[in-house]
Structures are given as C-alpha cells and as structure tokens.
Amino acid sequence: ARYQQFEAANDIVDRVVQGQQKRGLIWHTQGSGKSLTMIFAAYKLRRRRQLNNPTVMVIVDRRNLKKQVGDDFDFCEYPSVIRAMGIDDLKDRLRTNYAGTIITTVQCFQSMNDLAPIDRENIILLIDEAHRTQKGKGAGFAMTMRAKLPNAYRFGMTGTPIDRTMVNTPHEFGPVIDGKQERYLSYYGIRR
C-alpha cells in the first residue's frame, strides 16, 4: 500500500472497531488508488474477529465500475468476493445474512419494498464515487440503502473536487463530532 492507502484503510478500520462514529468521507485525489484502498480496508475488516464475520459491501454506481473494481479484487487474490447479480441476488444475500464481501451497484437498492430492514451492526459499506450516489438520480437508491441497512457503517470514497458550497457529500458521510461537522476522515490532496 502507498501511504495514503495505508492511512485511509487504517482510519476506516479504527472507526469501525471503535464503533462510535459510523460514517466517514475519504477524499483522495484522482489516480491515488481508491480501489486498492477499498481492498486493503475490506481485507482488514474481514479479518477482525471482534467484528463477528462482517459483511463488507463495495458499492459503485456503474456496471463498468463494478467490473473494474471486481477485477481489482480478483487481481489481488482477495478471498471470497462475490458480485451481486442484480436486485434479487442482493436481497437474497441480505436476507440470509451473508458474511463476506459483496460488490454491487447502488441501483440494486431499488424495488426493495419486500425486504425488511437489516439491523445487523457488522455491515460496512464502502461507497465509491460517493459524490454522485447521494444526489440526482442515485439519491433514491442511496436513501433506500440507508433505510434497509440502518445500522451499517458508511464510508464514502471520492476524488472529485468538492468545494465548500457542496455540502451534501460531507453531510452524508461526515459525522458531527464535538458539535462540528467532520469534512473528511482521510484527505489526500494533490499537494500531498
């Protein structure tokens, strides 16, 4: 791992293990290896015994990204990763409390009226391109995801510039700590 990947993966794992804050935004400049950061974080999370065999979900917003991220997991010889084959496949895995790593699209969180909320606290969501999935056409899917997985940890990943006027992404992923909205759990800008 490069420094920023090492730091971000450990920040995610530390936050989950501590269990106090259930969200965080990772902003790493484009080309810094966010897919590998997700792989490193997922690997460490799945190996933590105190997390009681967690479900790690990598959520993307396009099919080609699902293939690309899935291929990255395969190239790294990540054990037991599956790609949800659609809405029904994802619902079945959630209903049966699948413990492992799932790669899916945010669009799979549509048509989930027949799925009761999953209350497990050892579900960790690593959401790629988080700036896109929380607004516009993806917002309804993201809202369903949050409603169906109310106790899940949610970590957004992005490398797209977010200026101070764009409050939705930090608001969705940054917890309020000591009365102040956290902007980033991990920041790796172009200057670094």
Side-chain angles (χ1 to χ4, degrees):
R2 297 187 306 197
Y3 292 113
Q4 74 275 10
Q5 296 163 334
F6 176 84
E7 291 169 2
N10 284 335
D11 288 343
I12 290 168
V13 172
D14 290 347
R15 187 156 279 181
V16 172
V17 169
Q18 291 168 6
Q20 296 172 355
Q21 305 297 333
K22 296 192 115 180
R23 303 181 292 168
L25 181 61
I26 288 74
W27 193 98
H28 288 188
T29 192
Q30 294 174 347
S32 63
K34 285 178 290 300
S35 295
L36 288 173
T37 300
M38 289 189 284
I39 292 168
F40 298 139
Y43 192 74
K44 290 185 83 165
L45 289 163
R46 289 281 306 136
R47 294 184 67 179
R48 287 295 184 122
R49 287 188 181 183
Q50 69 262 44
L51 298 181
N52 194 24
N53 204 11
T55 300
V56 176
M57 295 180 69
V58 176
I59 299 166
V60 297
D61 67 339
R62 295 193 318 248
R63 281 188 219 156
N64 65 331
L65 284 176
K66 180 178 161 186
K67 180 182 180 340
Q68 176 188 329
V69 171
D71 288 348
D72 288 343
F73 272 78
D74 291 343
F75 294 146
C76 291
E77 298 180 2
Y78 185 96
S80 305
V81 63
I82 61 110
R83 299 172 200 188
M85 300 309 292
I87 298 166
D88 291 333
D89 185 35
L90 181 60
K91 283 196 286 192
D92 288 344
R93 292 184 189 280
L94 291 172
R95 277 190 190 109
T96 59
N97 292 323
Y98 175 82
T101 304
I102 303 170
I103 300 172
T104 188
T105 61
V106 70
Q107 292 84 356
C108 280
F109 285 95
Q110 61 182 302
S111 305
M112 291 219 166
N113 292 338
D114 60 335
L115 180 70
I118 309 298
D119 290 331
R120 285 176 44 215
E121 300 218 6
N122 66 342
I123 298 175
I124 302 117
L125 311 176
L126 304 175
I127 303 165
D128 195 24
E129 303 296 350
H131 65 284
R132 287 197 305 236
T133 60
Q134 305 304 307
K135 61 181 182 175
K137 292 182 180 179
F141 306 139
M143 286 172 40
T144 301
M145 176 186 70
R146 291 190 299 268
K148 297 301 179 179
L149 303 171
N151 295 322
Y153 289 85
R154 291 184 294 122
F155 297 95
M157 311 275 190
T158 188
T160 297
I162 300 172
D163 65 27
R164 295 268 177 211
T165 63
M166 296 173 66
V167 296
N168 60 331
T169 306
H171 174 73
E172 288 302 328
F173 291 99
V176 175
I177 301 173
D178 296 328
K180 186 176 179 192
Q181 177 81 49
E182 178 185 81
R183 191 153 170 82
Y184 303 112
L185 173 61
S186 177
Y187 180 84
Y188 181 72
I190 195 72
R191 288 184 182 168
R192 269 190 78 197

